[in-house]
Amino acid sequence: AQTVTQSQPEMSVQEAETVTLSCTYDTSESDYYLFWYKQPPSRQMILVIRQEAYKQQNATENRFSVNFQKAAKSFSLKISDSQLGDAAMYFCAYRSSSGGSNYKLTFGKGTLLTVNP
Amino acid sequence: EAQVTQNPRYLITVTGKKLTVTCSQNMNHEYMSWYRQDPGLGLRQIYYSMNVEVTDKGDVPEGYKVSRKEKRNFPLILESPSPNQTSLYFCASSSQRGPQYFGPGTRLLVL
């Protein structure tokens, strides 16, 4: 079974600075998807960014980018120019592309990001 | 606006009183799923559905039922709720290769 590990339970960053959240995963598959979701105090799960394993290019969405290292099974999230609204719990998630009809997401435990003014 | 909606958003009930949490998506997604989120346990899948009339168990299906009579709707049914089903519930939907989009969540308290 796949597992997702987020080794940083909490992180903090100064407003306008850059922060990197770590995620590692364990899988024997070669094709899969990786995601970062944000959960602010409202508890809504918001998609931040996605990466398809067959794509070597790292995904970028505005201030958010990933460092995808397939051989190392690492998928870190970099947030540039941090804003107060970035404060949230961040979840790394894995989805197999060969899971039959179940597109189940396997989540890490989350990293709580605090942004200091 | 593309979205997943859930109702109710908050619910307090008593043990044994049947309840239904509705979920609807307007993105024409084939796949829908229910998760529950609990402190220390993270998000766990309850049930999923690949299409109309096609449903299957996830990791923690005990005490829950689902149905998929229409593509857009995927209600979660608790026939006889118990206190250990107190949780935050999320409905999600996706296309085959797309990301899952989540509803706003339903906070359930079973007394």
Side-chain angles (χ1 to χ4, degrees), chain B residues 19-61:
Chain B
L19 66 91
T20 299
V21 183
T22 64
C23 172
S24 184
Q25 51 92 7
N26 63 2
M27 295 169 278
N28 201 35
H29 286 161
E30 297 84 7
Y31 181 83
M32 297 184 75
S33 181
W34 278 100
Y35 296 86
R36 60 178 289 175
Q37 184 179 24
D38 303 288
L41 296 175
L43 288 107
R44 296 176 292 168
Q45 189 187 49
I46 304 171
Y47 266 95
Y48 68 94
S49 169
M50 259 312 295
N51 215 325
V52 175
E53 303 293 0
V54 180
T55 65
D56 207 347
K57 298 176 182 178
D59 297 323
V60 287

Side-chain angles (χ1 to χ4, degrees), chain A residues 11-109:
Chain A
M11 292 279 286
S12 64
V13 63
Q14 291 297 126
E15 197 174 3
E17 298 291 309
T18 295
V19 64
T20 299
L21 308 184
S22 300
C23 172
T24 58
Y25 56 95
D26 186 28
T27 184
S28 58
E29 299 175 333
S30 60
D31 193 18
Y32 47 86
Y33 306 91
L34 296 165
F35 306 92
W36 280 97
Y37 283 89
K38 168 186 176 181
Q39 188 175 43
S42 67
R43 309 304 295 275
Q44 170 87 48
M45 292 289 286
I46 301 166
L47 176 69
V48 175
I49 199 165
R50 64 178 291 201
Q51 176 80 42
E52 295 171 271
Y54 69 87
K55 292 185 178 179
Q56 292 188 337
Q57 186 173 6
N58 289 325
T60 298
E61 288 286 344
N62 301 313
R63 298 182 295 108
F64 298 87
S65 61
V66 298
N67 184 4
F68 173 49
Q69 301 290 328
K70 191 173 183 179
K73 296 179 183 174
S74 171
F75 183 60
S76 61
L77 175 69
K78 186 172 81 171
I79 306 174
S80 303
D81 184 26
S82 296
Q83 301 175 358
L84 295 177
D86 295 334
M89 182 73 86
Y90 286 82
F91 292 96
C92 179
Y94 172 101
R95 200 212 103 175
S96 170
S97 69
S98 59
S101 60
N102 191 1
Y103 304 159
K104 182 181 79 170
L105 291 172
T106 300
F107 288 89
K109 297 290 189 190

Side-chain angles (χ1 to χ4, degrees), chain B:
Chain B
E1 179 190 355
Q3 61 181 347
V4 179
T5 57
Q6 291 179 230
N7 283 293
R9 296 288 311 280
Y10 306 90
L11 180 60
I12 301 174
T13 189
V14 296
T15 298
K17 186 176 181 181
K18 181 180 178 179
L19 66 91
T20 299
V21 183
T22 64
C23 172
S24 184
Q25 51 92 7
N26 63 2
M27 295 169 278
N28 201 35
H29 286 161
E30 297 84 7
Y31 181 83
M32 297 184 75
S33 181
W34 278 100
Y35 296 86
R36 60 178 289 175
Q37 184 179 24
D38 303 288
L41 296 175
L43 288 107
R44 296 176 292 168
Q45 189 187 49
I46 304 171
Y47 266 95
Y48 68 94
S49 169
M50 259 312 295
N51 215 325
V52 175
E53 303 293 0
V54 180
T55 65
D56 207 347
K57 298 176 182 178
D59 297 323
V60 287
E62 295 76 21
Y64 304 94
K65 285 176 57 177
V66 293
S67 69
R68 187 94 181 270
K69 292 182 169 51
E70 302 167 283
K71 194 173 186 179
R72 63 184 292 127
N73 297 324
F74 190 44
L76 180 69
I77 303 156
L78 285 71
E79 295 267 359
S80 183
S82 63
N84 65 11
Q85 292 179 298
T86 292
S87 187
L88 176 60
Y89 291 88
F90 287 102
C91 181
S93 75
S94 76
S95 59
Q96 183 177 16
R97 295 189 67 86
Q100 284 184 34
Y101 294 98
F102 284 77
T106 295
R107 294 199 197 198
L108 173 64
L109 173 61
V110 183
L111 300 173

